[in-house]
């Protein structure tokens, strides 16, 4: 049996690999979809002995199958935003406390005590639909901040502008979490010079604006908000963990999450640091679904284990997670 304490107290690469292999064996035994996929690749508990030998389930399986490693009742169903006419992903969550423990621990690791911040959220397209894992996370962060001004904003931009100026001018530490197109809308209405505010974009134009490369987008946002860097969150419906960028598009994972970069020509082999390839994610918080996911994202890994998201495969759907198309 694998407990959450085993996952969230990982402190070394060796310990990560040990727990990851234990999770692999558990999911091979308990996840029928994943087991069948592994068997097609001639992989099993006996011949998988390292991280790079573990099969990574293509993320598209979350659209067509119930990806579960648990027989417990479903507590929440998170769905991807997708676009009209496209099939959406479903992440069936049997233990919502694992998700909450994951994002609370990760936020604390990267940003410190949530009670030191006022959390403002500009996520209109997410608020307007059911089943968003991002809304669940941000709502919990808002509540946990215990700040009377923390909250969501839909289309009330003028109210948000006034509140943001008031808080920043008072010296209050603020985190503004926003979907990309809405942040651009906001700075077209008002140019800021913020001193005490972190701007965190969660990606996604949602068909509202043309996609742009990260460098261009972040330059526009930096100028519009008057901040030196833009923070980013890398997460998706199929994961229960997030990586964070504290600026310049360089992401880092919490200790229970790792990125591997697969060869775009051979999905079962990996490329060296600095080379572009497909992003494979190990998310050990996904113990009750699948912890080993081959995404449709393109990226590269740096020598210090940070990574960059460079775009997506041409044939993948337009999605609501943090991706910039080159």
């Amino acid at each position: 049996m694998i407990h959450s304490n085993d996952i969230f107290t990982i402190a070394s690469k060796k310990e990560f690999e040990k727990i990851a292999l234990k999770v692999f064996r558990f999911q091979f035994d308990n996840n029928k979809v994943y087991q069948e996929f592994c068997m097609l690749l001639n992989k099993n508990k006996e011949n998988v002995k390292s991280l790079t030998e573990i099969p990574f389930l293509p993320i598209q399986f979350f659209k067509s199958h119930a990806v579960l490693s648990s027989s417990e009742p479903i507590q929440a169903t998170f769905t991807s935003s997708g676009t009209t006419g496209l099939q959406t992903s479903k992440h069936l969550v049997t233990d919502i406390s694992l998700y909450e423990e994951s994002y609370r621990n990760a936020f604390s690791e990267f940003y410190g005590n949530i009670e030191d911040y006022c959390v403002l959220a500009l996520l209109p397209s997410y608020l307007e639909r059911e089943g968003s894992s991002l809304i669940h996370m941000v709502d919990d962060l808002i509540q946990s901040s215990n700040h009377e001004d923390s909250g969501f904003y839909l289309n009330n931009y003028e109210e948000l502008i006034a509140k943001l100026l008031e808080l920043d001018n008072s010296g209050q530490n603020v985190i503004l979490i926003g979907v990309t197109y809405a942040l651009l809308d906001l700075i077209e209405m008002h140019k800021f010079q913020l001193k005490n505010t972190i701007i965190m974009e969660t990606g996604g134009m949602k068909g509202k604006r043309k996609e742009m490369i990260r460098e261009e987008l972040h330059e526009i946002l930096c100028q519009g908000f008057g901040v030196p860097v833009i923070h980013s969150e890398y997460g998706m419906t199929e994961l229960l963990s997030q990586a964070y960028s504290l600026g310049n598009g360089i992401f880092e994972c919490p200790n229970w999450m790792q990125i591997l970069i697969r060869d775009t020509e051979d999905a079962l082999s990996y490329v060296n640091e600095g080379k572009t390839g497909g992003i494979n994610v190990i998310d050990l918080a996904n113990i009750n679904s699948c912890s080993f996911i081959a995404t449709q994202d393109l990226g590269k890994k740096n020598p210090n284990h940070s990574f960059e998201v460079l775009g997506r495969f041409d044939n993948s759907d337009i999605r609501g997670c943090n991706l910039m198309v080159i």
Side-chain angles (χ1 to χ4, degrees):
M1 188 65 185
I2 302 163
H3 300 283
S4 63
N5 195 50
D6 298 327
I7 295 167
F8 297 121
T9 57
I10 289 172
S12 68
K13 285 179 63 178
K14 186 175 180 181
E15 192 177 358
F16 182 93
E17 182 158 11
K18 178 183 175 183
I19 297 296
L21 287 168
K22 191 175 179 181
V23 169
F24 164 72
R25 292 190 289 270
F26 170 79
Q27 293 183 340
F28 184 90
D29 283 340
N30 293 280
N31 187 324
K32 183 180 178 183
V33 171
Y34 184 54
Q35 184 184 96
E36 289 180 358
F37 176 74
C38 290
M39 297 295 279
L40 286 171
L41 297 175
N42 295 315
K43 296 287 188 177
N44 55 53
K45 293 190 296 181
E46 283 66 47
N47 63 19
V48 170
K49 302 182 185 301
S50 69
L51 284 186
T52 54
E53 292 173 332
I54 294 174
F56 283 76
L57 188 72
I59 201 166
Q60 299 95 316
F61 275 74
F62 282 83
K63 294 182 178 182
S64 54
H65 296 76
V67 182
L68 277 169
S69 300
S70 171
S71 58
E72 294 297 311
I74 306 300
Q75 293 183 359
T77 299
F78 293 134
T79 57
S80 61
S81 52
T83 48
T84 304
L86 293 178
Q87 189 177 2
T88 57
S89 290
K90 287 187 177 181
H91 190 174
L92 306 175
V93 180
T94 59
D95 186 355
I96 198 70
S97 69
L98 277 172
Y99 180 43
E100 292 167 347
E101 193 169 357
S102 177
Y103 64 65
R104 288 169 184 167
N105 286 339
F107 183 91
S108 177
E109 180 179 329
F110 287 98
Y111 293 99
N113 190 342
I114 184 64
E115 293 188 4
D116 292 337
Y117 297 92
C118 176
V119 181
L120 306 180
L122 183 59
L123 301 165
S125 46
Y126 292 92
L127 278 174
E128 293 164 338
R129 69 177 183 85
E130 297 283 328
S132 167
S133 57
L134 179 63
I135 292 297
H136 184 99
M137 178 181 80
V138 174
D139 184 52
D140 187 66
L141 293 176
I142 286 170
Q143 301 305 320
S144 299
S145 72
N146 289 322
H147 195 287
E148 61 180 2
D149 290 316
S150 290
F152 286 99
Y153 289 80
L154 188 55
N155 297 309
N156 43 339
Y157 287 81
E158 291 183 0
E159 184 181 341
L160 174 57
I161 290 168
K163 182 59 65 180
L164 198 49
L165 291 171
E166 175 192 337
L167 290 166
D168 192 82
N169 289 334
S170 73
Q172 170 66 48
N173 292 326
V174 177
I175 294 183
L176 173 60
I177 303 174
V179 63
T180 304
Y181 79 84
L183 292 175
L184 291 169
D185 289 346
L186 188 65
I187 59 174
E188 285 181 359
M189 293 183 66
H190 186 92
K191 291 290 186 287
F192 298 86
Q193 286 296 323
L194 300 174
K195 304 290 186 228
N196 302 293
T197 300
I198 291 170
I199 306 299
M200 182 187 296
E201 55 94 2
T202 66
M205 291 299 191
K206 305 294 184 185
K208 307 278 187 179
R209 291 170 176 259
K210 72 175 181 69
E211 297 284 348
M212 60 180 77
I213 61 171
R214 178 191 57 78
E215 289 84 358
E216 179 187 5
L217 170 65
H218 283 201
E219 183 179 355
I220 292 169
L221 291 176
C222 282
Q223 290 178 357
F225 285 106
V227 295
V229 294
I230 301 297
H231 293 223
S232 304
E233 179 250 7
Y234 179 78
M236 57 192 72
T237 300
E238 300 83 359
L239 303 179
L240 292 185
S241 300
Q242 303 80 32
Y244 288 99
S245 166
L246 305 188
N248 303 315
I250 308 297
F251 288 92
E252 295 187 35
C253 296
N255 289 343
W256 55 94
M257 179 183 181
Q258 272 192 29
I259 299 295
L260 299 176
I261 305 296
R262 68 182 185 272
D263 192 319
T264 55
E265 301 297 325
D266 177 7
L268 301 182
S269 63
Y270 295 92
V271 299
N272 295 328
E273 292 168 347
K275 300 286 187 181
T276 299
I279 295 179
N280 283 1
V281 178
I282 303 175
D283 179 7
L284 298 182
N286 266 15
I287 182 68
N288 295 320
S289 55
C290 183
S291 290
F292 312 98
I293 297 174
T295 77
Q296 287 285 2
D297 307 346
L298 290 167
K300 66 178 181 180
K301 199 168 180 179
N302 300 318
N304 64 354
H305 303 297
S306 65
F307 70 100
E308 299 173 50
V309 183
L310 303 176
R312 62 162 66 252
F313 286 88
D314 290 340
N315 62 348
S316 62
D317 295 341
I318 298 168
R319 282 273 306 282
C321 52
N322 190 349
L323 307 169
M324 315 283 175
V325 177
I326 293 180

